[in-house]
Structure formats: structure tokens, C-alpha cells
Amino acid sequence: MSSTTPARRRLILGVLVFAQLLIWLDGTILSTAFETLSDPVRGLGATPGQLQWATGAYTLAFACLMFTGGALGDRFGHRNTLLVGMALFGAASALAAYASTPGQLIAGRAVMGVGAALLVPATMAVVSWTFEPAQRPAAFGTLSSFAGVGIAAGPILAGLLLARFWWGSVFLVNVPVVVLGLGFIARYVPNFRSTQVRRLDPAGLVLSTGGLGLLAYGLIRAGQDASFAHPRVWACTLAGLALLAVFVVVELRIAHPSFDPRLLAQRRFATGNIALMTVFLAMTAGSFYLAFYLQGARQYSAFDAALLGLPGALGVVVGSPVAVRLARRTSVRLVSSVSLGVAALAMGSLALFDATTPIAWYSAVMLVQGAAIGMVIAPVTGAVLGSLPLERSGAGSAVNSTLRQTGSVLGIAAGGTITSIVYQRAIDGSLTGLPEGVRQQARVSAELARHVAAATQDAGLAAAADSAFLHAMHVGALWTAGFALAGAACLSLGFRPKRVRDADAEPRPALVSTRSS
């Protein structure tokens, strides 16, 4: 345990907040640039599948390497891990900023995910080493609050940059932050090192990365082929599921695994984490088509689109503390299941939106959705971690973080794939008689269809693309609402109070960071 003075602790926490803010900014900044990146003139002409991978590569690396990042910090010191993570993040940001092809952008994003996987567990460890047990909830709460600031500020910052500079500026802005962060970390953060070094888990790393990667590839490929029947689609999907099953078996055979599947045998812990996974799945699935709705179908600028979505981010920040207080007075089950049901209704209501819907309704729906999601994440995270004995809290936090990121990976794949399949089938009837080159581009995405329509002065094609996209968004919104409702059902069933022993009563939610992943 650290013996640093209170002033020194506050300084270290400030440095960690500064470093962590980068991760949360980048988590939301890319979606604002989707429309620009898909444009062949202003961006890279990226297809929906390529945009899915630009987001998914980051999240996939983040999810699968987080365990390794924590183990490396134990072995080599958490300050050293922070420095390496920051340096990787900055270098990869520069690579992404100057990418000339979607493939280079995807590669840059993947390396950024590696950097994030080193940063996050090291940050959590330094907080634990720096602060006494009684002070840790407040410290983690500070990190959580600034995570909300980063989530809210990411789209706004992206909109401002895209209004004045080229798309690469949304990544290049990370570089000066990284340079400052490296100096602060090297100067002020001690190099805490665990006395009990965790073993690396290369087999688990390969199996989890391969399984999630193949599963995501199969789902994204289905969107490109507009079908799940193609052999490479279902073969990759099944292979991914098989590797994940082997991963679970391998982890069960390890005495102290990085990802402990044994914890999922506990009903409350398992259902709570599955529900959180569906929340992140639904959020990321919806973010994929909403960016194109505002900037494509509605023709808002990136900055205006970011402002319209701001109430959603602010709702998450406001909803979290309200939910913790309500859960103490009633129950986590009641607050979280009802809130997730409300979030599902808000997500599904977007199926009623079209190109002429008053835009104020959009911001109102985002506010309700964000507040409802915040009222799920905070109490459920506290309840699932509080359901474990103290000595298992670290392992439980690792499982919780991994399942959240897994939900994000699957949400990116599912949201883009559903939208792509429905769009391609909806626009096919409007492409009859057009030249083959025009048909091929118009089937890829509504953005490319509008670009071809502008070049050929075909107003009918542009209208058909808008109509097909809106239909795809409506279907995607209903699927997203279904994911959230499945999570609400998990909470309602899994958080039923036990009847026999008072000791098994529902734990009070812990006042800890609820967005540490």
C-alpha cells in the first residue's frame, strides 16, 4: 500500500484521469466521422463492412488483451505499462490519421486497441495501490465521472474538427495529449509492482482473440454478402463459437485463470453480466446506423449531429447516481429491469422516424435512452461485483469488463450487418436498368449511392437510397430494442430474491466505478 501524502494522491489521480480521458474520447469520436469516411471524395470511400472493422478492431484488441495488460503490469510495473500503452496509442493514432486506405485505418485502430488494453488495467491498479480501501470508491467514482465527460465530449470534439479540418484530425488530436500524458506519468506516477506476479495466458489470449475475431468476421461478412447462407459466413461463425467454447474449457482447467468462467455459475453474477453485455451490444448496434441517419438521410453537419446526440451522453451521466439511490430504497431488480425496458422502448421508437420527423424528438429520445441506460449500468455493476467475496472481486471485475467489450464487438457486427442486409434487399428493386457499375456501388451503401446519384444527376437513385436506408434503420431499431428487452428479461429473472437464506439477499450496489471497461 502506498504511503503518499493526500496532495500527492490527488495529483496522481489527476494524471490518471488525463490519461484515461483519451480512451473514452476515442470510444465515441469515430462514429461522428463515419459519414465522412464513407465518402469517396472527402474520406476513404469506406464500405459499411470496413467501417465495422475500423470500430471492431479497436474493441476486439481492447477486449482480448486486457488480461494480458494487467499481467504485464504486475510483472514489469504499472507505470511502465501505462507509458508503453500511451506511446502505442499515440503512434497508432498518427498512423490512423494519415491512413490512405481503409485497411491502414483498420490496422491503426487495432494498435490503438492494444494501447488501450495496456492503459485501463494499469490505471485501475495504480488507483488501488495509491488509495486506502476507504478512499478507493471516491477515486473510482472520479474516474467514472470523467469517463462520462469523455463520452459526451468525443462527438462534440469530432464535429468541431470535421467542420474545419480533414477527417484524420479526429485521430491526430490524440498525439499532443499522449505527449503530455507521457511526461506527467513519468514524472508523477510511481512504478507500483505486484508482489504476486500473475502468469501470462497465451493459450487463452489466442483462443479468445481468434474466437471473437472469427465470430465478428462471420457476422460482418454476412452484411457484405447480404446472406448468412454463404459457406465463409456460417463456417467462420461456427468456428468462432467453437474456439470460444474451447477457450472456456481451457480456462476451467487453470487454477487462477485470467477469465474465470466458474464465476458464471452464480445466478446473479451471470445474469447481471449477460444483461450488461446486451446493453453494450444494443448501444453499439444503434450507434452504427444513427450516425448515417443524421448526417446522411437528414444532411446535418458532423457538429450539428454531435449536438443532437449530446443529451444521450448527458443522460447516462445523470442517470447513474439517481439509479444507485433508487436501488437502495427499492431493489436493483426493479430499478434496472424497468429502466432497461424503457431504454428498449426508446431504441424501438426510432422505427417511427423518417426524413421529416421533427428533430427535437430525436434529442428527446436520446435523453430518455441515455438516462435509462445509466440507470442500468450503475446498480447492476455494483450488484454483480458486490455478489462476490472480496478475494474474488478482481476476477469478477475482469469477467465484467470482458463481457462488456464482447457485447460492443458483437453490437458493431450485428448493427452494421442487419442494416447492410436490409438496405441491399430494399434498394435492389430500384436499380433495374441502371449500368452495372452504378448498381454495384449503389448496393454497397446509401452514401455511395448518393455519391453516384450526384455524379450522374439521378435524383431518383438518391431518393431510393434514402428510402432503403430508412427502412434498414427501422428494422435495425427493432432488433436493437429486442436485444435490450432480452437483457431486461435476464435482470428480472436472474435477480429474483432467494427465499431460503437471508444471507443470500440482494446486495446493495457498491459505490465504485461503473465504466471501468
Side-chain angles (χ1 to χ4, degrees):
M1 185 62 59
S2 173
S3 59
T4 53
T5 64
R8 178 80 171 184
R9 290 173 188 165
R10 290 192 294 271
L11 180 59
I12 292 173
L13 182 60
V15 171
L16 295 176
V17 165
F18 185 78
Q20 190 93 336
L21 191 62
L22 200 63
I23 305 298
W24 300 114
L25 279 170
D26 197 75
T28 55
I29 205 169
L30 181 61
S31 61
T32 307
F34 276 167
E35 175 71 23
T36 304
L37 287 168
S38 65
D39 191 293
V41 177
R42 295 179 298 135
L44 298 175
T47 66
Q50 290 166 335
L51 291 176
Q52 284 173 279
W53 276 117
T55 305
Y58 174 85
T59 310
L60 184 63
F62 194 177
C64 296
L65 292 172
M66 202 179 305
F67 299 139
T68 302
L72 290 173
D74 290 344
R75 186 178 297 264
F76 300 108
H78 293 292
R79 182 186 63 188
N80 291 340
T81 308
L82 278 170
L83 291 171
V84 173
M86 286 288 284
L88 270 178
F89 200 93
S93 296
L95 174 63
Y98 291 103
S100 57
T101 66
Q104 292 176 6
L105 175 62
I106 293 168
R109 290 283 294 170
V111 180
M112 290 170 73
V114 175
L118 296 176
L119 278 169
V120 171
T123 299
M124 299 298 108
V126 170
V127 170
S128 297
W129 278 90
T130 301
F131 291 89
E132 300 291 338
Q135 299 170 327
R136 286 175 197 161
F140 282 122
T142 300
L143 281 175
S144 179
S145 298
F146 277 91
V149 173
I151 290 171
I156 300 294
L157 178 61
L160 287 170
L161 291 170
L162 291 172
R164 299 178 61 88
F165 307 105
W166 98 114
W167 62 265
S169 60
V170 302
F171 300 114
L172 198 61
V173 71
N174 292 335
V175 175
V177 178
V178 164
V179 172
L180 288 174
L182 288 172
F184 289 149
I185 292 169
R187 175 67 178 84
Y188 297 112
V189 177
N191 193 32
F192 298 116
R193 192 190 307 261
S194 177
T195 55
Q196 295 181 341
V197 177
R198 281 185 286 166
R199 295 178 59 185
L200 298 178
D201 184 11
L205 174 62
V206 172
L207 289 170
S208 60
T209 305
L212 272 178
L214 284 172
L215 181 58
Y217 177 82
L219 294 174
I220 292 172
R221 189 73 231 183
Q224 294 174 295
D225 294 342
S227 172
F228 282 94
H230 197 285
R232 62 184 169 186
V233 172
W234 56 259
C236 285
T237 303
L238 291 177
L241 292 172
L243 283 179
L244 290 175
V246 174
F247 166 69
V248 171
V249 172
V250 168
E251 296 299 288
L252 285 172
R253 293 176 179 271
I254 301 175
H256 302 287
S258 298
F259 180 95
D260 193 351
R262 300 173 188 87
L263 296 175
L264 296 175
Q266 302 181 42
R267 185 188 71 183
R268 186 181 301 275
F269 184 83
T271 54
N273 277 297
I274 290 172
L276 287 172
M277 185 172 72
T278 65
V279 169
F280 280 81
L281 191 158
M283 285 194 300
T284 52
S287 67
F288 192 85
Y289 53 74
L290 289 179
F292 293 108
Y293 170 67
L294 293 175
Q295 297 182 52
R298 299 299 297 262
Q299 294 293 303
Y300 284 99
S301 68
F303 181 66
D304 289 340
L307 289 177
L308 290 168
L310 183 59
L314 295 178
V316 173
V317 176
V318 172
S320 296
V322 172
V324 172
R325 289 195 292 270
L326 286 177
R328 284 173 171 166
R329 297 180 180 179
T330 56
S331 70
V332 173
R333 181 193 185 201
L334 177 63
V335 172
S336 60
S337 59
V338 171
S339 296
L340 193 47
V342 171
L345 290 176
M347 294 172 183
S349 71
L350 291 167
L352 303 175
F353 280 56
D354 57 28
T356 61
T357 302
I359 203 60
W361 282 109
Y362 177 86
S363 292
V365 167
M366 289 299 103
L367 177 62
V368 173
Q369 177 181 311
I373 288 173
M375 293 180 71
V376 176
I377 294 175
V380 173
T381 301
V384 296
L385 295 181
S387 68
L388 301 175
L390 184 61
E391 64 271 15
R392 304 294 288 150
S393 60
S397 179
V399 172
N400 175 262
S401 298
T402 299
L403 290 180
R404 288 189 188 197
Q405 294 300 326
T406 299
S408 296
V409 172
L410 297 179
I412 292 160
T417 295
I418 291 168
T419 305
S420 295
I421 290 176
V422 177
Y423 168 79
Q424 290 178 37
R425 293 179 178 177
I427 201 171
D428 274 344
S430 303
L431 303 179
T432 305
L434 295 177
E436 179 62 23
V438 172
R439 288 204 304 272
Q440 288 181 353
Q441 292 190 65
R443 289 186 80 251
V444 171
S445 68
E447 286 63 43
L448 285 178
R450 294 188 195 100
H451 178 73
V452 173
T456 60
Q457 298 184 341
D458 188 345
L461 176 58
D466 286 341
S467 177
F469 169 77
L470 288 170
H471 175 61
M473 185 187 79
H474 295 161
V475 174
L478 294 177
W479 273 94
T480 302
F483 296 142
L485 285 175
C490 280
L491 291 172
S492 181
L493 295 173
F495 275 49
R496 298 192 313 274
K498 293 183 179 180
R499 302 175 182 176
V500 180
R501 293 177 298 172
D502 291 337
D504 289 329
E506 183 173 337
R508 293 169 66 179
L511 294 177
V512 298
S513 170
T514 61
R515 281 186 290 268
S516 61
S517 63

